[in-house]
Amino acid sequence: MDQSIRRTSADAAANAAGSSRLVVLDALRGLAALGILWRNIFVFGMPAVAFSLPEEWGEAVVSNVASWLFVVIFVDGTMRGLFSLIFGATAILLMERHARDPGGLLAADLYFRRLMWLIAFGIIHGYLLLWPHDVLYVYGLLGMFLFVFRNLSGRKLLAIALVVFAISSLKDGTGLSLDQISSDAFEAAQSEQVLPDEGTDAQPDGAGQPPLAPPQDNAQQEAEQQESEDEAAMFEELERMALAEMDERLAGYTEVVRNLAPETFQEQTTLFFTDHILDVGAMMFFGMALYRLGAFSGGWSTGQYAALALAGLSGGIFLGFLVHGTNAIPGFESWSLGSWDAYFYNLRRLLIGLGLIGLANLLARSGAGRVLLAPFVAVGKIPLTVYIGQTVICGIVFYGFGFGLFGSMEHHQLLMIALGINVAQILFALAWQRTGHQGPLEWLLRWLVQQGPQASTGANRKA
């Protein structure tokens, strides 16, 4: 690895503290690892169509709508985005650490070995552990590209992040997708081949004559009846889809593997190129830029962190309310962003992520704040174990080869289960921290990374 990798204030602060870890990075990583379950639990526990229908799915309407609003405003996409921010920052931290020890080509070898094993973990996580929406595979692939940008300044990285972010937001807002464009073009070509030439079909008697207009009252009644029939048909279709998904999830293990494999394949192939590169890539570059600019090391003033926390959290939550709350809470319909809501999906999650970075830095500046961060710091040291552990637990709880609770719970109940799993994982992390060892899967990843030619160098390797 190029020995001219920049030494940032964050790196200096970490060394001054006698540790290569940053408290804020660990705390935010831990929060993301725990918080991502607040959204994922609904994928594990209920049909996809049920999540967006909190008023229809279950009897506790108020609790369900409140739970849904919390998730779609504060959590959905945000925790994944925060995870990606931290991954980008950690990528530079690892490259800087490897540049010092062992240095040279061996440093690059360690970095890329780690990413290749993350890809392997992601494939196993997706196909065998039954989580199609795995992020490890995506991080492993995109992390390889980050190596090229390792020596750029914070401002240049920020400029790249803003460009990728703008493209991603434009794609989401317009619905433009290379996958969709290709699909539409293929369908259009197929249609042209099967459609008959114009003028070859004889027109039926009376063709070309305008139909008689029904009386006004009859027309209104027919319109209302048609609307009612369309709504009933829609709910019938949604119910059919929900029941079909329940049948898939409540099957035995091998059957669930077969049912979810196509979705995992799509996530790791087509959607990787059409969605994940822009979505995840933008957040990774933001994380790299913020690391270079000292945002994770306490290098900014208290006023700057306070402004970041206030502007980020209030702006992101308010934007989320305009997108979702206005459609769910009576009396705020006029505040809705309407068809513009998709343009602000990325902005909402970025603002909340930045707000959490500001808040974590503020808390890290006081003894009481560090006590509050301690559980998240403990989890942030074993994020791989926590993340994959959630999948194993939820698979056992919800799928047919376990307790088979898929589709049997309402929104607020699933959210409570997620928080219960969080508490158990925090207690595990705090207990494990006392052993002084890496988490089980973190240890496995490090062991795998260290196997190979570099094992005989005697270098002090830190994967």
Side-chain angles (χ1 to χ4, degrees):
M1 184 181 292
D2 190 337
Q3 295 294 328
S4 65
I5 287 180
R6 299 174 182 271
R7 307 299 169 86
T8 65
S9 59
D11 193 43
N15 290 334
S19 170
S20 60
R21 306 194 74 97
L22 297 175
V23 171
V24 170
L25 274 178
D26 281 337
L28 291 170
R29 188 186 298 110
L31 173 61
L34 295 170
I36 202 168
L37 182 61
W38 304 342
R39 176 62 180 92
N40 291 350
I41 193 75
F42 294 95
V43 182
F44 282 115
M46 67 169 48
V49 296
F51 175 70
S52 299
L53 299 171
E55 296 179 344
E56 307 292 338
W57 187 267
E59 299 178 355
V61 175
V62 175
S63 297
N64 288 338
V65 171
S67 300
W68 177 78
L69 283 175
F70 166 72
V71 172
V72 295
I73 291 175
F74 185 75
V75 180
D76 189 24
T78 302
M79 295 302 163
R80 186 181 74 252
L82 184 61
F83 235 150
S84 303
L85 280 166
I86 301 306
F87 186 90
T90 304
I92 291 189
L93 181 63
L94 284 171
M95 285 186 276
E96 288 180 339
R97 184 189 303 171
H98 292 333
R100 293 190 303 269
D101 182 11
L105 183 61
L106 185 53
D109 185 50
L110 285 171
Y111 177 75
F112 282 100
R113 279 175 177 268
R114 179 185 180 88
L115 296 175
M116 287 190 294
W117 280 113
L118 277 183
I119 294 172
F121 274 55
I123 293 173
I124 295 172
H125 192 207
Y127 285 99
L128 299 183
L129 297 182
L130 309 175
W131 183 236
H133 307 285
D134 163 80
V135 299
L136 302 176
Y137 177 90
V138 177
Y139 287 178
L141 283 179
L142 289 182
M144 295 183 178
F145 294 93
L146 299 185
F147 185 84
V148 179
F149 304 92
R150 66 191 183 280
N151 284 327
L152 292 184
S153 66
R155 291 184 177 182
K156 290 181 179 178
L157 290 168
L158 185 59
I160 294 173
L162 289 171
V163 170
V164 179
F165 178 84
I167 296 173
S168 179
S169 299
L170 182 64
K171 181 189 76 69
D172 290 343
T174 59
L176 185 64
S177 168
L178 293 177
D179 180 47
Q180 188 61 46
I181 291 175
S182 300
S183 177
D184 291 345
F186 177 78
E187 290 179 1
Q190 293 294 102
S191 298
E192 289 179 359
Q193 294 178 12
V194 300
L195 285 177
D197 296 335
E198 294 183 2
T200 58
D201 291 341
Q203 294 185 344
D205 292 341
Q209 299 178 7
L212 296 176
Q216 184 67 25
D217 291 343
N218 291 342
Q220 183 176 356
Q221 291 177 0
E222 290 179 2
E224 293 176 353
Q225 182 179 358
Q226 184 63 44
E227 182 179 354
S228 177
E229 292 176 354
D230 290 343
E231 183 177 353
M234 179 189 70
F235 277 104
E236 287 181 4
E237 177 63 15
L238 292 177
E239 182 179 4
R240 185 195 64 77
M241 294 170 61
L243 292 174
E245 188 172 349
M246 290 177 66
D247 288 340
E248 291 180 351
R249 298 298 192 276
L250 295 176
Y253 175 76
T254 54
E255 187 66 24
V256 176
V257 170
R258 284 195 293 267
N259 293 334
L260 291 181
E263 187 175 352
T264 301
F265 181 79
Q266 184 182 36
E267 287 282 346
Q268 296 186 350
T269 54
T270 303
L271 291 179
F272 174 82
F273 293 100
T274 60
D275 294 347
H276 302 328
I277 286 180
L278 294 174
D279 178 302
V280 177
M283 294 298 178
M284 284 185 176
F285 276 114
F286 275 121
M288 295 173 69
L290 290 170
Y291 181 89
R292 283 276 183 239
L293 296 172
F296 295 108
S297 62
W300 297 4
S301 69
T302 299
Q304 288 175 315
Y305 283 125
L308 184 65
L310 180 61
L313 291 175
S314 62
I317 292 173
F318 180 68
L319 194 56
F321 172 77
L322 293 181
V323 173
H324 299 288
T326 54
N327 296 321
I329 302 176
F332 291 93
E333 294 83 0
S334 60
W335 292 41
S336 176
L337 294 175
S339 60
W340 288 87
D341 58 356
Y343 286 98
F344 296 101
Y345 169 76
N346 281 325
L347 181 58
R348 171 188 59 82
R349 54 202 289 263
L350 175 62
L351 286 174
I352 294 178
L354 293 176
L356 291 172
I357 292 172
L359 179 60
N361 276 279
L362 290 176
L363 292 174
R365 296 195 167 196
S366 68
R370 284 179 174 265
V371 171
L372 292 175
L373 290 178
F376 301 105
V377 171
V379 173
K381 293 179 180 179
I382 57 170
L384 188 59
T385 298
V386 169
Y387 177 58
I388 293 183
Q390 291 169 356
T391 299
V392 174
I393 293 172
C394 289
I396 294 173
V397 170
F398 294 109
Y399 292 163
F401 53 82
F403 294 107
L405 297 180
F406 184 86
S408 64
M409 296 185 179
E410 302 179 22
H411 290 69
H412 71 283
Q413 294 171 326
L414 287 174
L415 192 56
M416 288 301 102
I417 288 181
L419 295 176
I421 294 173
N422 285 167
V423 171
Q425 291 188 311
I426 288 173
L427 294 176
F428 174 82
L430 290 171
W432 191 272
Q433 184 176 246
R434 294 185 177 184
T435 68
H437 300 301
Q438 288 183 306
L441 291 183
E442 286 73 19
W443 174 87
L444 176 60
L445 176 61
R446 182 178 182 179
W447 182 82
L448 290 169
V449 169
Q450 291 182 351
Q451 300 310 297
Q454 77 273 23
S456 62
T457 64
N460 180 22
R461 298 172 302 276
K462 297 180 180 179

